[in-house]
Amino acid sequence: MAKIIVITSGKGGVGKTTTSAAFAAGLALRGFKTVVIDFDIGLRNLDLIMGCERRVVYDFVNVIRGESNLKQALIKDKRIDNLYILPASQTRDKDALTLEGVEKVFDELNPEFDYIVCDSPAGIERGAYLAMYFADTAIVVTNPEVSSVRDSDRMLGILASKSRRSEQKLEPIKEHLLLTRYATSRVERGDMLSVDDVLEILAIPLLGVIPESQAVLRASNSGVPVTMDPESDAGQAYLDAVGRFLGEDIPYRFIKPVKRTFLQRIFGAKEGAAA
Amino acid sequence: MSLLDYIFRNSKQAKGTASIAKERLQIIVSHERTTRSGPDYLPMLQRELIEVITKYVDIDQDQVKVELERSGNFSILELNIMLPDEATVE
C-alpha cells in the first residue's frame, strides 16, 4: 500500500512544486518507489521543475478519461531509479479532474508504489481539494510571511474537515510544517517571523526549515530537483526533512545566521551559503 | 542616508516588524478558527430563523447574519437582521 502525501499551502508561490520535486526525489534516493503527481490542471509546471517537459506525451487527465493507460503517461526519471512523474494536463476544462477518476488512478498506483506525492495547486478550488482528499499525510509549505501563514491555517482547517479521512471518521491526516524561504539574518533583525513564531501560530509539528537559497532557482533553471544538489544548503535542508519524515532524529540546520568574518562582510560573501 | 542614520537605523528598528506580523496573525487566525469550528447547527438555525421572520416581515435572505463568537468562557450568538425601509406586516 502506498502512502499518499499531499504538498499543499493555500497560497501560491511558496514552494509547493519545488518541495514536491525535492521531496519525491529525496524519497526515491532513499530507495522508495515514488511517483509525484501534478494536480495543477491547466498550469502544468512540475514537468519543468523535474526536467522532463519534453518527454510528456500523455497526462493525468488522459488517464482519467481512458485516452491512455497509466503506464503510457508515467514518466520514469532518467537520473534516479524508483522515481516517476505523472504530469498535469494543460486542458482548460475545469472539471477534467473528478473524484472517481483520481481514486481510480490511485487504486492503480497503490500496489506499485511506496509513496504517492501530490503536488497541489494554489487556492482551495477543485485541484487543491482533490490533491488533498485521499492524503494520509500533508506537508504544509509555508513562508514566514503573514498571508502565507494565514492561508496555511485555512488549509489545515480544510484538511481536518473536507478530506476522505475526516469524512469517514478515520485517523486524521498527519500534518507537517515545512517552512521555506527562511532568511536567518532577517529573522535576527526582527523583520521576519521566526520558526518559533510560525510554530506558535500554526501549532503543527515541524518537518524542516529550508533557507532562502540561490540553489533553488539554479535547480529549477536546470530542471533538477534541489535534493540532487547535496552540496547546496537547500538541498541539505530538504534531505534532512526527508530523513525526519522517515522517522530519523536529525538536528535542525540553517535556522541560525551564518557568522561572517569581517572580510567576508566587506567582500559580500553570499548570505545563506551552505553552513 | 548619512553614516549616523545608518548606524542608528538598526537600534531604531530594534523591535522589527515581525512582532507586529505575529500579533496580527494571532488575532486573525484565532478569529477565523472560531468561525470555522462553529457548530453544525448554525446554518440550519439561520434557515429556520429566516423562515420564521419571513412569516411576519418581508426580508431579504442575505440580510440575515447569524454569528457565534466565543470569548473566554462564554459564547455570544449574534443575530443581525436588516429590515426593509418599510417593513410590510402581513
Side-chain angles (χ1 to χ4, degrees):
Chain A
M1 275 281 275
K3 209 173 209 168
I4 302 173
I5 307 170
V6 59
I7 313 289
T8 185
S9 70
K11 190 175 180 296
V14 298
K16 281 183 298 296
T17 302
T18 300
T19 299
S20 300
F23 215 79
L27 287 168
L29 284 169
R30 293 294 197 102
F32 295 103
K33 197 171 176 191
T34 305
V35 56
V36 54
I37 307 178
D38 191 348
F39 272 79
D40 204 345
I41 305 303
L43 294 170
R44 168 161 89 210
N45 272 321
L46 180 69
D47 56 338
L48 263 182
I49 303 300
M50 294 292 297
C52 63
E53 68 277 9
R54 299 188 54 189
R55 295 170 62 205
V56 177
V57 182
Y58 294 110
D59 59 55
F60 197 6
V61 170
N62 290 138
V63 179
I64 288 178
R65 288 181 174 158
E67 293 156 0
S68 82
N69 64 39
L70 189 55
K71 286 244 156 55
Q72 292 172 300
L74 281 179
I75 302 171
K76 186 180 185 320
D77 191 273
K78 286 191 168 163
R79 303 150 300 197
I80 306 175
D81 272 345
N82 293 323
L83 183 58
Y84 293 79
I85 299 112
L86 183 55
S89 160
Q90 285 183 313
T91 175
R92 278 191 282 174
D93 176 10
K94 274 177 120 190
D95 303 323
L97 274 193
T98 59
L99 194 70
E100 297 73 29
V102 174
E103 187 170 26
K104 198 188 80 184
V105 172
F106 280 0
D107 284 345
E108 211 176 318
L109 291 170
N110 223 338
E112 302 284 327
F113 285 90
D114 297 310
Y115 289 104
I116 300 172
V117 177
C118 306
D119 180 19
S120 171
I124 49 175
E125 309 256 315
R126 193 187 193 95
Y129 165 73
L130 290 173
M132 69 90 205
Y133 185 78
F134 295 102
D136 301 305
T137 298
I139 297 177
V140 180
V141 183
T142 307
N143 290 167
E145 176 269 329
V146 284
S147 47
S148 174
V149 176
R150 180 204 211 167
D151 289 358
S152 292
D153 191 71
R154 192 79 207 285
M155 210 61 225
L156 288 170
I158 292 170
L159 291 170
S161 62
K162 298 274 191 293
S163 63
R164 182 185 68 96
R165 282 177 171 272
S166 68
E167 283 177 2
Q168 301 182 359
K169 308 248 183 289
L170 303 169
E171 196 184 318
I173 293 178
K174 213 168 162 207
E175 298 153 342
H176 300 277
L177 175 67
L178 190 77
L179 201 57
T180 55
R181 310 201 66 166
Y182 196 68
T184 49
S185 57
R186 300 176 76 179
V187 172
E188 204 76 351
R189 253 183 274 142
D191 276 333
M192 182 180 269
L193 291 165
S194 70
V195 184
D196 292 334
D197 291 340
V198 179
L199 281 175
E200 198 181 319
I201 293 160
L202 293 180
I204 58 169
L206 180 66
L207 186 66
V209 179
I210 313 299
E212 171 82 61
S213 166
Q214 305 193 355
V216 173
L217 184 59
R218 277 206 307 268
S220 81
N221 282 341
S222 31
V224 177
V226 73
T227 33
M228 285 184 68
D229 181 6
E231 301 294 305
S232 67
D233 49 355
Q236 290 171 17
Y238 271 116
L239 289 169
D240 284 359
V242 171
R244 283 185 209 108
F245 183 82
L246 297 171
E248 293 162 19
D249 188 18
I250 299 170
Y252 292 93
R253 297 191 272 177
F254 316 110
I255 54 176
K256 288 274 170 310
V258 184
K259 290 272 179 289
R260 290 186 300 166
T261 64
F262 182 66
L263 279 178
Q264 276 175 327
R265 272 167 193 266
I266 289 184
F267 293 111
K270 288 177 199 114
E271 247 177 51
Chain B
M1 189 188 291
S2 77
L3 185 63
L4 277 178
D5 278 347
Y6 183 77
I7 291 169
F8 287 110
R9 191 186 51 158
N10 278 339
S11 57
K12 240 191 257 168
Q13 293 189 338
K15 271 192 101 179
T17 48
S19 53
I20 305 170
K22 186 182 178 186
E23 212 179 296
R24 291 174 60 217
L25 270 171
Q26 279 171 326
I27 293 166
I28 189 66
V29 162
S30 83
H31 173 76
E32 286 173 348
R33 276 181 194 158
T34 48
T35 43
R36 193 162 75 207
S37 61
D40 293 343
Y41 63 74
L42 220 55
M44 183 74 110
L45 176 72
Q46 174 159 0
R47 264 198 304 278
E48 287 186 22
L49 280 170
I50 292 171
E51 274 171 36
V52 173
I53 295 162
T54 44
K55 267 166 83 177
Y56 302 94
V57 191
D58 191 19
I59 52 158
D60 200 341
Q61 295 260 335
D62 15 290
Q63 297 302 319
V64 178
K65 270 194 192 137
V66 181
E67 269 177 68
L68 191 75
E69 245 189 83
R70 269 178 224 152
S71 46
N73 54 357
F74 61 92
S75 305
I76 302 168
L77 179 67
E78 195 181 314
L79 183 60
N80 204 331
I81 306 161
M82 281 278 278
L83 293 177
D85 285 346
E86 280 182 31
T88 43
V89 182
E90 286 173 25

